[in-house]
Amino acid sequence: LPHETIDSADIQRLRQLFSRNFEDPHQFLARVKEISESAPSETFDVLEFADGRICERYSKIQRVEDRSVGRVWSFRDVTERQLADITAQRLAAIVDSSDDAIVGKNLNSIVTSWNSGAERLFGYSAQEMIGTSILRLIPPDRHAEENEILTRIRKGQRVKPFDTVRVRKDGRLINVSCTASPLKDRTGKVIGASQGARDRTERNR
């Protein structure tokens, strides 16, 4: 893209070329004109297409013998990454608003995430629990349960609901129903567990 100002004929040709492709063609054309007139050394933009695709666009001035001869553009389709981010954000919102306690932990039983339901059920804040062992919630005579859970999680197995007893911050014992599922990284390797707990005190009573 030369650095000369884009004239009206250029604008019209670009409009015809891109109007069907971009979510907001007018914004796209205005940005192209801005880049052409201000000639920044580098640019970065996120382009939203009418069909829902999302691209990152980079550009850099191309120089030959210290003379600017135009601009090199590169495009990267980030649609899947953006959708994954949106899905993760929605999932996080669902987890945080759940009435059940939902806790993330690594394979050493160290808490990595702690939702609002866990705060209400166990009395500990996320700040108090994250980075500490989940064993502080388990009565000493039930520590073997955690070992059994982690054994199954390491094998990639889900732990079906089971009734047990846990300890609140105030020392009170509560009846809960627990589940656990493996957490995996992008390669499929198990890196921890997502554990749920639901208060069963009233039901048992």
Side-chain angles (χ1 to χ4, degrees), residues 26-80:
H26 300 290
Q27 182 183 31
F28 172 81
L29 293 171
R31 177 59 175 155
V32 170
K33 188 173 187 293
E34 176 189 357
I35 293 173
S36 178
E37 292 178 345
S38 61
S41 59
E42 296 183 6
T43 68
F44 169 76
D45 297 281
V46 176
L47 305 178
E48 297 184 14
F49 290 80
D51 61 5
R53 289 178 298 131
I54 301 173
C55 277
E56 291 179 344
R57 179 183 64 183
Y58 301 84
S59 78
K60 188 174 184 179
I61 288 180
Q62 184 179 28
R63 297 183 181 277
V64 176
E65 297 179 351
D66 292 330
R67 183 173 64 88
S68 175
V69 296
R71 184 173 292 275
V72 177
W73 299 86
S74 62
F75 298 82
R76 177 183 300 169
D77 190 331
V78 295
T79 307
E80 291 188 8

Side-chain angles (χ1 to χ4, degrees), residues 9-204:
D10 293 326
I11 291 289
Q12 183 60 31
R13 285 193 293 270
L14 285 170
R15 188 186 303 278
Q16 293 172 353
L17 179 62
F18 293 108
S19 61
R20 296 180 181 179
N21 297 327
F22 288 91
E23 181 69 21
D24 189 342
H26 300 290
Q27 182 183 31
F28 172 81
L29 293 171
R31 177 59 175 155
V32 170
K33 188 173 187 293
E34 176 189 357
I35 293 173
S36 178
E37 292 178 345
S38 61
S41 59
E42 296 183 6
T43 68
F44 169 76
D45 297 281
V46 176
L47 305 178
E48 297 184 14
F49 290 80
D51 61 5
R53 289 178 298 131
I54 301 173
C55 277
E56 291 179 344
R57 179 183 64 183
Y58 301 84
S59 78
K60 188 174 184 179
I61 288 180
Q62 184 179 28
R63 297 183 181 277
V64 176
E65 297 179 351
D66 292 330
R67 183 173 64 88
S68 175
V69 296
R71 184 173 292 275
V72 177
W73 299 86
S74 62
F75 298 82
R76 177 183 300 169
D77 190 331
V78 295
T79 307
E80 291 188 8
R81 189 185 75 188
Q82 292 280 354
L83 292 176
D85 289 345
I86 292 172
T87 299
Q89 292 169 6
R90 290 176 178 172
L91 179 59
I94 292 171
V95 168
D96 192 56
S97 63
S98 173
D99 288 335
D100 291 345
I102 301 178
V103 180
K105 63 183 180 181
N106 64 21
L107 295 178
N108 294 316
S109 299
I110 301 301
V111 176
T112 56
S113 64
W114 187 262
N115 77 334
S116 298
E119 290 190 12
R120 290 189 294 270
L121 181 59
F122 297 114
Y124 291 100
S125 67
Q127 185 175 5
E128 290 175 303
M129 283 300 302
I130 292 177
T132 68
S133 175
I134 201 167
L135 289 174
R136 69 194 299 186
L137 304 177
I138 305 176
D141 61 344
R142 292 180 178 266
H143 280 189
E145 289 181 358
E146 178 66 5
N147 294 331
E148 183 178 347
I149 289 172
L150 289 179
T151 296
R152 299 192 61 178
I153 290 298
R154 289 189 178 98
K155 295 178 181 179
Q157 299 175 352
R158 181 176 180 271
V159 178
K160 295 181 179 180
F162 66 96
D163 288 348
T164 186
V165 175
R166 294 293 181 259
V167 184
R168 280 179 48 86
K169 181 180 180 180
D170 60 12
R172 181 165 57 91
L173 297 178
I174 54 174
N175 297 297
V176 297
S177 176
C178 289
T179 61
S181 299
L183 289 177
K184 301 178 181 180
D185 63 15
R186 293 185 177 182
T187 67
K189 178 182 177 182
V190 177
I191 58 174
S194 175
Q195 189 159 333
R198 175 172 296 179
D199 190 350
R200 290 303 192 191
T201 303
E202 290 303 320
R203 186 198 68 176
N204 291 349

